[in-house]
Each structure stands twice: as C-alpha cells, then as structure tokens.
Amino acid sequence: MDQARNDDIASDLAYVRALAEEGAHAPLVGGRYFVVWGVLMGVSSLFVYFNAIGWIAVGSAGYIAPWFIALGVGWIFSFAMRGAVSVKPGAMTLGNKTAASVWFAVGIIMTLFFVGVLFAHDDYVAYGVPSYFLFSMLFPIGFGFYGVAFYAMATASRTEWLRYFAYLSWVFAAASLFFMATSVQFLVGAVGLFLCAAAPGVILMRREPANIV
C-alpha cells in the first residue's frame, strides 16, 4: 500500500515537473507586435527618407507626420491585439510575461522621448545645437533599447537565437550615430527596423502555438 502511494506521489511529481519544464520552454507569442511596429516605423522612416531626398514632395510635414501616424496606429493595434495574444497557449509563462513587460516599457519610453524632443528640440540652439538635431538621437537610443529588450527576452524565454537580434540592434544603434542629422540616417533606420523588429516578428509568428492544443 505504501509502495503504491509512493509510486503515485512520484508519478504526480514527475507530471508537475514535466509541466514546469514545458512552460519554461513555451514559445513566445508576441510576434505580431514586432511585425506591426517594425513595418509601421520602418515605412515611416522610409517615407521621411524619400521626402528628405526629394522623391516625395510634402515639405516639412513629411518629417513629423509619418511618426505621429505610426505611433497612433501602432498603439491602437497593440491594445486591440492584447486579447488574441493573451489566450495563446503559454502566454502566461515567465518568458512571455517578461517579453510583454519589457517591450511595453520600451514603447512607453520611446513614445515619451519622441514627445519630449518634439517640445524641446530647439531649446539648445543658444548652445550651438541645431534646432532639430535632438531627433537624430531617436535611432541610436531606440536601437539600443531594442538590443537590451531582445537580450532580456532571450534570457527569460531561453530563446537563444534572439540574442543575435540584440547584437544586430546594437550594430544599427552604432551605425546610426555616424549618420546623425543626415537623410541617410532615415534609410539606415528603416533597414534596421525591418531587420530588427519585423523580421524576428515573422519568425516568432511562424513558431507560435495554435490556439487549441
């Protein structure tokens, strides 16, 4: 009798351990966020680049309006998709909760930084800083945060291949420094957004579990 009970306990413990290990390796389910933000911001950067070099003639509005549109549409889609993502198998695992939290934080700080620069961009002209120069800091800082978020996400979810996107993000953060206050930075930014946001998003979506398991 005692042996049977011990066997049952051992079996239950093995089952719980198997569930825990399965949860620890649950696929990430937020790929659609990466695709939406990567495409929106990448297209916006490309639009600004084309406006800067004269391929599209919309004047000064072409430098600011695309970012407002992308931010507005991006946040609307992000909140609209929360319900569908939250019911995905594994959505409540540590890896997915960490990914959601860290990327939400990145989105908040970059949005606030953009709004802050919008109001403060010409406050340092007296010190020799050109009026719109601070906007050039968005890409280096943004890609730097991307790298940190990918690295944390890779560690929490044990998804090692995401570390390569962290390294790639830091490469674009450094590269964009060399093109600050030039039209080329928008092209570099667009390429970086497609490669460092949209591309991993597509990969993650392809690996997502079905809604019914």
Side-chain angles (χ1 to χ4, degrees):
M1 185 71 177
D2 289 338
Q3 182 61 40
R5 181 177 299 175
N6 290 337
D7 290 341
D8 288 341
I9 293 175
S11 178
D12 290 342
L13 289 174
Y15 177 68
V16 171
R17 180 179 179 181
L19 287 177
E21 291 178 348
E22 183 179 352
H25 294 86
L28 295 168
V29 297
R32 64 191 68 189
Y33 292 112
F34 292 89
V35 173
V36 167
W37 281 102
V39 170
L40 282 172
M41 302 306 286
V43 168
S44 296
S45 190
L46 207 56
F47 184 95
V48 174
Y49 171 70
F50 289 152
N51 182 60
I53 64 175
W55 286 12
I56 300 174
V58 292
S60 58
Y63 289 94
I64 299 296
W67 303 115
F68 273 111
I69 295 172
L71 283 171
V73 174
W75 280 114
I76 290 172
F77 267 92
S78 293
F79 284 109
M81 293 186 297
R82 288 178 67 182
V85 173
S86 64
V87 297
K88 286 277 188 179
M92 293 297 104
T93 58
L94 176 61
N96 276 295
K97 291 173 71 174
T98 301
S101 296
V102 73
W103 282 104
F104 181 75
V106 169
I108 290 293
I109 189 60
M110 290 308 300
T111 299
L112 292 176
F113 190 81
F114 174 78
V115 174
V117 169
L118 190 66
F119 287 100
H121 68 87
D122 59 352
D123 288 354
Y124 304 96
V125 175
Y127 299 97
V129 180
S131 181
Y132 291 95
F133 182 80
L134 292 181
F135 282 102
S136 299
M137 295 300 299
L138 286 167
F139 282 119
I141 293 174
F143 283 120
F145 278 132
Y146 273 32
V148 172
F150 273 125
Y151 206 89
M153 185 177 172
T155 301
S157 65
R158 301 181 185 180
T159 310
E160 295 301 317
W161 59 268
L162 282 172
R163 293 185 191 274
Y164 295 106
F165 284 100
Y167 304 144
L168 185 61
S169 297
W170 291 328
V171 168
F172 276 98
S176 61
L177 287 171
F178 291 95
F179 299 100
M180 292 177 66
T182 70
S183 59
V184 177
Q185 192 191 48
F186 297 113
L187 179 59
V188 172
V191 174
L193 286 162
F194 289 134
L195 292 179
C196 298
V202 171
I203 296 172
L204 289 171
M205 287 183 70
R206 291 174 62 89
R207 298 186 177 199
E208 283 184 6
N211 286 325
I212 300 175
V213 293

